[in-house]
Amino acid sequence: MARKKVDPNKMSFLDHVEELRWSLIRSIIGILIGALIAGFFTDFIFDVIIFGPKRGSFITYEFFCDFGKNFGIISDFCNPDFNFKVQSKEMSDEFSTHIWTCILVGFVVAFPWILHQIWRFISPGLKSDEKKYSGGFIIVCSLLFFIGVIFGYFVIAPLSVHFMMTYNLSPEISTEPSLSSYIGYIRASILASGLLFELPVIIYFLTKIGLATPAGLRKNRKFALVIVLIVAAVITPPDIASQIIVAIPVLILYEVSIFISKFVLYRQERRKRKLATP
């Protein structure tokens, strides 16, 4: 049965709830389609992508190794010796990991579609001149998310794996992580980084509703620095170098967010002056 179209200006509370329900359903369908597609590339996703950071020849390790050599430093990233095996300790580990990994890949692939559904839901409450920016909103948010995912995979994930697998209390201890533990590190690194890179978009909307201002962001810069370092400590291994590497792009995004907030206020003031002009 086709859904009855309702004038956005005359929608009741239940109509909005119904629209939200359909937005969620369409988003879930998009994720499931992405998960189904991921299921056809299981070997590539696991053998090449997910288990890539556990190999000493991973591109990130080679980059840091070459970078150190340029300064006459032979670092632990040069051919790291952690050829470990990932263990499946429960009968259902491999099956559940396969399913949830496909869903995660589906979420990443369907992220632009999810953003489109979010925009469709909030668009009735926007002004006519704001609705025309839907394409830009989806492109910018998707681009930031994918950059964050790439940063999480090529920087945060290998740094986490390298630190944890080279940290050894005694030669008598052999580290052999479980499948859920290893996948958990990779998943957290990718998702946390992808969502963290949405900071400029979040600041944009907070400024639009009056909860953020350029002056306030500048004033609270030192508190933001502390929060960024805490977040970096949570999603990275507990060494200073890794935390700094993660904190730098987030701080850059914070500074960019200040300019975005300033631009939003400038546009609002210009619109007010235009409306006030007879």
Side-chain angles (χ1 to χ4, degrees):
M1 181 183 293
R3 291 195 304 127
K4 181 181 178 181
K5 292 186 177 181
V6 182
D7 186 349
N9 298 319
K10 299 179 181 179
M11 291 176 68
S12 64
F13 173 76
L14 291 179
D15 290 329
H16 284 292
V17 173
E18 178 69 8
E19 186 61 32
L20 175 61
R21 185 174 75 89
W22 278 100
S23 296
L24 291 174
I25 290 174
R26 286 191 291 264
S27 297
I28 292 173
I29 290 174
I31 293 173
L32 292 178
I33 292 174
L36 184 61
I37 295 173
F40 289 99
F41 299 94
T42 298
D43 292 342
F44 176 79
I45 291 173
F46 278 89
D47 295 339
V48 177
I49 297 179
I50 292 181
F51 291 131
K54 71 180 285 292
R55 300 187 180 96
S57 59
F58 191 64
I59 185 172
T60 302
Y61 306 140
E62 293 183 346
F63 171 81
F64 281 112
C65 176
D66 294 338
F67 183 80
K69 287 180 178 178
N70 291 332
F71 295 93
I73 301 173
I74 305 300
S75 68
D76 292 338
F77 289 105
C78 297
N79 299 316
D81 184 19
F82 51 70
N83 188 24
F84 59 91
K85 286 287 186 180
V86 177
Q87 299 185 54
S88 178
K89 297 184 178 181
E90 301 290 339
M91 290 181 63
S92 61
D93 269 0
E94 292 189 60
F95 176 76
S96 59
T97 298
H98 187 192
I99 297 298
W100 284 110
T101 300
C102 287
I103 292 175
L104 171 63
V105 175
F107 174 80
V108 173
V109 171
F111 192 76
W113 171 252
I114 296 171
L115 290 175
H116 175 67
Q117 297 308 315
I118 293 174
W119 186 267
R120 281 190 56 173
F121 178 71
I122 66 175
S123 61
L126 300 177
K127 297 182 178 64
S128 57
D129 60 333
E130 295 173 330
K131 293 180 180 179
K132 63 183 179 181
Y133 296 115
S134 60
F137 166 79
I138 295 173
I139 292 173
V140 171
C141 289
S142 299
L143 184 62
L144 288 172
F145 178 76
F146 290 135
I147 291 175
V149 167
I150 292 172
F151 180 79
Y153 177 72
F154 284 103
V155 179
I156 300 179
L159 287 178
S160 299
V161 173
H162 181 275
F163 179 83
M164 293 302 177
M165 298 313 300
T166 55
Y167 186 88
N168 190 259
L169 289 176
S170 169
E172 299 297 323
I173 302 174
S174 175
T175 304
E176 296 182 349
S178 66
L179 179 61
S180 58
S181 174
Y182 178 83
I183 295 292
Y185 264 94
I186 303 298
R187 179 174 59 239
S189 300
I190 292 174
L191 280 183
S193 182
L195 297 177
L196 207 58
F197 270 60
E198 296 293 338
L199 178 62
V201 178
I202 296 172
I203 296 298
Y204 172 84
F205 283 104
L206 289 178
T207 304
K208 292 282 289 185
I209 62 179
L211 293 180
T213 62
L217 292 172
R218 293 192 190 98
K219 181 180 179 181
N220 295 314
R221 185 184 277 114
K222 57 184 177 181
F223 300 109
L225 174 60
V226 174
I227 294 174
V228 167
L229 291 176
I230 292 174
V231 172
V234 171
I235 65 176
T236 61
D239 64 290
I240 301 299
S242 300
Q243 294 173 18
I244 292 175
I245 290 172
V246 174
I248 288 175
V250 179
L251 289 175
I252 293 174
L253 288 173
Y254 185 83
E255 295 299 323
V256 171
S257 299
I258 294 177
F259 286 100
I260 291 174
S261 180
K262 185 177 181 179
F263 177 73
V264 171
L265 290 183
Y266 167 75
R267 287 182 59 86
Q268 290 178 344
E269 290 297 325
R270 191 177 69 173
R271 186 181 293 110
K272 288 179 182 179
R273 288 196 299 268
K274 189 178 294 185
L275 293 175
T277 303

